[in-house]
Amino acid sequence: MTPAAAAGSGDPRTARTRGKLREALLAACEQQPLDQVSVSDVVRRAGVGRATFYLHYDDLRALAVDACAETVRQAVDALHAWDDAPPGPDAPPAELVALLEAVRARAGIHRSLLRAGGGGPLGELLHEELRQRSIGELRRRRPEVSGEDLIASAVAGLFTGVLADWVHDRTDAAPAQLAAGIWRMLRAVHAAAPG
């Protein structure tokens, strides 16, 4: 069974095994950077065989992307957590503050999966998912705006880069302060959008 087939099979054993592997990788990344983690370390922590690992994932990067998926979903949802009109410039969505608090609580993991500047498996996935969601939201909420791909790229790059620099201690702010700063910058990007 290929990794894609395993992911979509709905088999509870598959879900359990993949969950064990994700947790094992995250535990390993709390202690060392992703590029120093080995498949052997992950399977030992997960209590599964090496062949089982390769039944579900092509390599550690594929596992890392899968392990990042929940954080990415939460981040994308947090930036779009409003119904009709976005909160004012000094009132970021509460979900954004909660996300940043959760990221800070597991900073070691995020530092390992999100490289400074926004690279790494988490950064790449976050940028792409956020860009796609932003394009969709712009088309739905502001169909009169042109250049939604440019705006979406700016939003994705800004958020991913700031988050990466924050987890790598390149900027010092409490989660609520960072959320407020990000929110003001994102509103400025949207305000600069061509009509």
Side-chain angles (χ1 to χ4, degrees):
M1 181 183 300
T2 66
S9 71
D11 183 343
R13 292 171 300 172
T14 296
R16 269 194 309 275
T17 300
R18 290 171 71 90
K20 285 180 182 179
L21 289 166
R22 285 191 301 267
E23 284 304 313
L25 177 71
L26 295 174
C29 287
E30 284 182 351
Q31 299 172 348
Q32 59 193 352
L34 177 62
D35 59 2
Q36 295 177 14
V37 175
S38 68
V39 170
S40 297
D41 186 27
V42 170
V43 297
R44 181 183 48 75
R45 288 172 185 266
V48 302
R50 194 174 184 89
T52 299
F53 175 90
Y54 287 109
L55 179 65
H56 296 280
Y57 298 101
D58 290 335
D59 53 28
L60 277 176
R61 182 174 180 78
L63 172 58
V65 168
D66 190 27
C68 294
E70 181 64 16
T71 299
V72 168
R73 184 195 60 76
Q74 291 171 349
V76 171
D77 287 349
L79 291 176
H80 296 92
W82 41 276
D83 294 322
D84 298 322
D90 295 319
E95 292 86 350
L96 179 56
V97 178
L99 169 74
L100 294 174
E101 288 170 347
V103 167
R104 173 163 274 178
R106 296 188 84 180
I109 292 171
H110 293 97
R111 199 174 293 120
S112 180
L113 299 173
L114 177 63
R115 287 196 298 269
L122 176 55
E124 292 166 13
L125 184 62
L126 178 57
H127 188 278
E128 185 55 32
E129 294 291 324
L130 186 51
R131 185 179 184 281
Q132 291 305 315
R133 175 75 174 269
S134 295
I135 288 173
E137 290 293 316
L138 281 163
R139 288 178 179 161
R140 185 174 72 82
R141 296 178 194 249
R142 298 175 65 195
E144 76 285 357
V145 172
S146 62
E148 68 271 0
D149 55 339
L150 179 63
I151 298 163
S153 290
V155 165
L158 187 152
F159 181 77
T160 304
V162 169
L163 182 66
D165 284 352
W166 184 60
V167 299
H168 284 276
D169 298 323
R170 291 180 163 189
T171 184
D172 184 29
Q177 293 171 311
L178 186 65
I182 289 171
W183 189 247
R184 282 191 298 274
M185 288 186 283
L186 291 176
R187 286 184 56 93
V189 167
H190 281 278

